[in-house]
Amino acid sequence: ERAFQVHRFLHGMREPYKEVFTLRVFGELPFEKIGLLSENAQLGPVTFYRAKKQIIEYMEGIENEHHPL
């Protein structure tokens, strides 16, 4: 169920976050290769970090809804 929730969020994620996260996690590409696919070679690590942060915040929000304090 958690994997489905991540995929659902990822499906609606804005570019370039969606592409960089997908290439890094599912494509298992190093940042150097991801940088070659984008206009900015330094975009990979920063964009991946921000995409991962968005997913974590989304999943924490779901957790808080199911288990209120």
Side-chain angles (χ1 to χ4, degrees):
E1 180 65 28
R2 290 175 63 84
F4 176 74
Q5 292 169 335
V6 170
H7 282 285
R8 185 172 58 193
F9 181 78
L10 187 59
H11 181 70
M13 186 180 272
R14 293 182 309 146
E15 297 294 348
Y17 304 105
K18 178 181 178 178
E19 181 178 20
V20 170
F21 187 85
T22 301
L23 291 172
R24 180 72 174 164
V25 174
F26 302 115
E28 299 179 355
L29 291 179
F31 288 124
E32 294 80 23
K33 297 279 185 187
I34 294 171
L36 293 173
L37 297 173
S38 70
E39 295 175 5
N40 183 347
Q42 298 300 316
L43 188 67
V46 173
T47 305
F48 178 76
Y49 171 79
R50 290 178 181 166
K52 188 169 77 169
K53 185 177 177 186
Q54 288 177 26
I55 293 169
I56 290 169
E57 289 173 355
Y58 172 75
M59 294 304 291
E60 286 174 348
I62 289 174
E63 277 291 315
N64 290 337
E65 287 179 13
H66 290 285
H67 304 288
L69 297 175

